[in-house]
Amino acid sequence: MLSDRPRPTKLFQQDIVQKVDHPEEYGIVMRCWHDAEDIPPVHPPFEEPLLRPLQHGEVGVAFITGQLQNEILREVDLKLVDRALQPGDYCKRTIDDVRSGVVLHVNSKARLQHVISGKPLEGWYMLDDVEENMDAELGDYVAYDDWIGQVVEVFDEAIVEVPGRHLVRLPELGSHLRVGDKGVDIIPPSVTGSLPAIFDMLLGNQRSNTPDTVIAIKHTAYAIAWLAVNQTLSAADAENRQRPQRFWHGQDIEKLALIRGRADVELRVGDRVRLKNAQGLPFTSHGQDGQGAGIIHVQHFLVQETETALDVLWQDGARETVKATDIIPYINPDEYDCWPGDHVLWKSEDERRPAIVQSVNPKDRTARILFPETGTTELASVLELDPHGTSDSAAVIAQSASEGLGVRRGDYVFIHREGTTNGLKKPRVPRIGELEAWVRERGHYGEAVVGWKKELADLGTSIAENRSTMGTMEGSSKRPVKGDDRFSWLGEVTDLKLDGSVEVTHPDWSVKVYPLERLTRLYDGMEQLEDDIWDDEGSDSLDMEDDEPVWTMDENGVWQPETVGEDWEDIEEDVDDDSMLVDDDAMEADQPNAADEPIVIDMDRPGPLPCITDNGNTTPSKGAKPSGSAAEDSEEEELQWKRFDVLPQAPVDHAFYSSPPAQPSKSFLGRLTREYRVLSTSLPASILVRAYEDRTDLLRSLIVGSENTPYQDAPFVIDWMLDSNFPNSPPIAHFLSWTNGNGRVNPNLYEEGKVCLSILGTWAGDRNEIWSAARSSLLQAFVSIQGLVLVKEPWYCEPAYDKLRGTEEGIVNSRLYSEKAYVLSRGFVRRALEIPLGDLEEEMNWLYYKQGRLDKVLQDARQLIEKSKIDSEPTAEDRELAVPSLTTGGIITLERILFKLQALKEKASRD
């Protein structure tokens, strides 16, 4: 039974809409303000109105019926008609709903109108009423001789009616024309001049403003990228299956088997279709008797409107049929989101176990999981589940592009022979599909077609020139019929069972269930091309204090402390004394403990808890007991928390220790001297930096998270390397991620060590944000990480998400992310104390044991847990907190960490 809930008003990409004041006008939403990936070009083409920047509440719509052109409109000017979701898509009821679902099945019906005359047909039409298009389209899979391939380009021949009812054939690379398209520019002027050599009929020299009309179109040549071979073949048989030819045309097209899944055959607004029973339905006639192909009748219909029902599996295990307009697409899933049937890894600090999700309570962030090796089920925190196969293991991270955990609904998979496996330990599943190098070659140089695309264009043009009539063109590929088991070696994942097995629908629509270990995922060619794209991808001057020690290199190459009493010398001609400036935003953003304020541990708590003040000295808190003279205590504390120091040797656990040492130039050493002077005097109290006499190209920084951020009191260690081109190139950073493979602690801090920041050249930024030898400094890089990365609301560190600040979606996602960041960063404290870094061990022990920061971490976390167990409405004060409360799942994970931290504290007190 369909749900009768009111429809949401927010619009999303691919939504079908009507214009309120022109209800006959139907369109498709192409752009939305809130889409994370909606980044229009800086200088959009003047003629394309959809490419200007969007304002809040605006969408870009491509109209497919009536007379309207593409246009950017307000959401309130549009009425939602349908939503174009497909199997495997994720959805929610509302933006702020924490529960999500996965689409299992789609059932659409459509209203049609004649594609040229616009005459509507009465009633609704179902998928069974429509003839399936047997022409392979761009992106379709095809099979031949035990190979699976993908159409990466097509060459078309379109029959176009021009003024005077003349018909001409238009050969063209690409598939942008469709039956029913009209326009005065269908036949471009450059082609018109060569018509006598190409077309069967001449247009003459006169063209009117009467639009041309496309009345038929056929793909006459294909470029196919062959991705992988049948995995049931023996090694010897597979070797004999040579990769098929690149270009296909003529009768060879009929040798191809067209492989389509459920999403490929659904009715969508804008589709051109033919009906199985078209008797008595409208048609139009084109051409003239006795000329060319004579009269051609067109009986194609445009899908004007759809109404879609979806079968949805919700996270809690409930299944429901809903109207597509009653839900919204879930476009920014949380990294811990999982659904029934998903294969995951349950991970603690000490072990990893494969599990299968039975149900999820998204509000509590808990999941009921099945351990297949024992057959037992347990309740787990989702923060301890890895649904994607990421890990803290560098080896697994390196393999993440070719394998993952389990499979997803909608994946295409290969089936291995019974009794064999995919070669990986369950639940890991490999992904295969080799996109040949020629596909990645540049196909255009300016307006000229080059390379393999030129080969395809020349082939298609030759076919058109040699055609003597406008009659029947090439044949079409064939769809496997039911019972055709030639293609039982591949299929589409259509469901995931709770016992871990997988339902697969084969190309002949037969359905079978397989164990996970017999499956290998197909790496889609278009996805590979997209992955290629992603893979390429005001200040205050620092005051120098004369009585502070700084470091400089003497004539023998030894670093020595000295007193700053002289002006900086210009080392490079283009570097002036402003080169050490630090961005105000980096110093102030989300920094309650910036350099101009003291970092106070807890002034109201009794006990020896000194606070670190900005000048680097320490003062005892109220109630601290002296040990020895005050001068002795102060001297010891200063030594324990020296913000900048140059040590004799770099530690072997430094991320870049094994890298070849840079050969420092005079310019390099001169600039480094200046950098050391700044670091000696200007580091905030919560940042430590260590340099090394034997490796001038290496540094290590420790940043302590600021109060009222999810990172408060946690240690963040980043290793740095300066290449020989420094300072003309930015420092290279490696973040020591101690998340135990449970996800990123921050969007800008990757588990494999990448630090994503404009000043480091690892993220695109404007001219004032990127590294500059004249304007940037190491201090600026360190402070930027503390002030712009380790912030109160880290979810918004993703540039695409910052515009969602204050929206329902942003508030929900930010809250969940901050909880994760808080819990994971408590684990950083444990890691720093349990496996201390060689050159920071004393500082860590002083900070967490002697200075009492571990007590604070434990007490704050326990208070937060107790507060979270009380079911009460958050107060205004709570809403100002970075982490006002925890979910049940967050509590489960945090309590495990606190147990370990308490044990470390007790051990330290005994020692």
Side-chain angles (χ1 to χ4, degrees), residues 259-394:
I259 309 297
R260 281 182 172 154
R262 297 172 300 165
D264 300 317
V265 296
E266 290 300 328
L267 295 172
R268 294 185 179 88
V269 168
D271 284 352
R272 273 69 167 170
V273 300
R274 292 177 62 90
L275 297 175
K276 294 176 181 177
N277 182 10
Q279 186 174 0
L281 297 182
F283 64 88
T284 55
S285 300
H286 307 269
Q288 301 179 45
D289 284 330
Q291 292 188 11
I295 301 294
I296 295 180
H297 300 295
V298 176
Q299 208 169 23
H300 285 70
F301 301 96
L302 172 71
V303 177
Q304 174 195 20
E305 177 187 352
T306 56
E307 185 176 291
T308 303
L310 307 171
D311 293 336
V312 176
L313 171 65
W314 298 105
Q315 286 179 299
D316 57 12
R319 292 178 183 247
E320 185 180 11
T321 299
V322 298
K323 292 179 181 178
T325 51
D326 285 348
I327 59 175
I328 63 172
Y330 186 16
I331 56 178
N332 295 313
D334 184 79
E335 64 185 304
Y336 298 108
D337 271 327
C338 47
W339 293 267
D342 281 357
H343 286 263
V344 298
L345 281 176
W346 175 83
K347 296 187 289 188
S348 68
E349 295 89 342
D350 308 310
E351 65 175 326
R352 280 147 174 67
R353 298 174 64 187
I356 302 155
V357 176
Q358 306 296 291
S359 63
V360 178
N361 183 328
K363 181 179 180 181
D364 289 347
R365 296 189 101 177
T366 59
R368 179 69 58 181
I369 56 176
L370 168 69
F371 294 110
E373 72 273 17
T374 62
T376 59
T377 60
E378 292 185 16
L379 186 69
S381 165
V382 298
L383 299 182
E384 298 172 345
L385 300 183
D386 177 8
H388 308 292
T390 56
S391 170
D392 53 345
S393 164

Side-chain angles (χ1 to χ4, degrees), residues 64 66-67 69 113-119 160-161 176-187 207 209-215 272 284 286 298:
I64 59 166
Q67 304 300 316
Q69 303 299 313
Q113 67 180 41
H114 191 272
V115 74
I116 295 176
S117 70
K119 187 173 182 179
V160 181
E161 184 180 56
H176 69 283
L177 292 177
R178 296 182 295 176
V179 175
D181 284 350
K182 298 179 181 181
V184 295
D185 56 352
I186 295 291
I187 299 179
R207 295 297 307 272
N209 289 328
T210 304
D212 305 327
T213 304
V214 178
I215 63 171
R272 273 69 167 170
T284 55
H286 307 269
V298 176

Side-chain angles (χ1 to χ4, degrees), residues 352 389-401 403 428 734 737 741 751-753:
R352 280 147 174 67
T390 56
S391 170
D392 53 345
S393 164
V396 172
I397 290 171
Q399 297 169 355
S400 61
E403 66 181 62
R428 295 204 170 272
H734 181 93
S737 178
E751 288 186 279
E752 65 268 28

Side-chain angles (χ1 to χ4, degrees), residues 379-426:
L379 186 69
S381 165
V382 298
L383 299 182
E384 298 172 345
L385 300 183
D386 177 8
H388 308 292
T390 56
S391 170
D392 53 345
S393 164
V396 172
I397 290 171
Q399 297 169 355
S400 61
S402 60
E403 66 181 62
L405 293 188
V407 292
R408 301 287 179 261
R409 297 165 180 88
D411 283 349
Y412 276 86
V413 293
F414 298 97
I415 317 297
H416 294 265
R417 294 193 311 275
E418 193 167 359
T420 64
T421 72
N422 57 33
L424 295 181
K425 183 178 180 181
K426 203 165 57 173

Side-chain angles (χ1 to χ4, degrees), residues 484-557:
D484 185 351
D485 61 358
R486 291 177 302 153
F487 304 100
S488 59
W489 48 273
L490 80 158
E492 178 191 9
V493 174
T494 48
D495 203 6
L496 305 177
K497 305 297 185 181
L498 295 183
D499 63 357
S501 59
V502 180
E503 178 188 282
V504 176
T505 298
H506 293 288
D508 68 342
W509 301 113
S510 62
V511 179
K512 293 184 180 179
V513 176
Y514 296 95
L516 183 68
E517 61 268 22
R518 285 183 59 193
L519 304 181
T520 288
R521 292 181 296 138
L522 172 63
Y523 192 7
D524 180 90
M526 298 301 183
E527 184 183 345
Q528 292 183 56
L529 292 175
E530 290 179 4
D531 289 345
D532 288 347
I533 295 173
W534 283 106
D535 290 342
D536 299 334
E537 329 177 16
S539 308
D540 291 327
S541 114
L542 299 173
D543 296 328
M544 306 297 293
E545 300 181 26
D546 293 343
D547 57 349
E548 289 289 334
V550 298
W551 289 81
T552 186
M553 179 178 283
D554 64 19
E555 66 226 302
N556 299 317

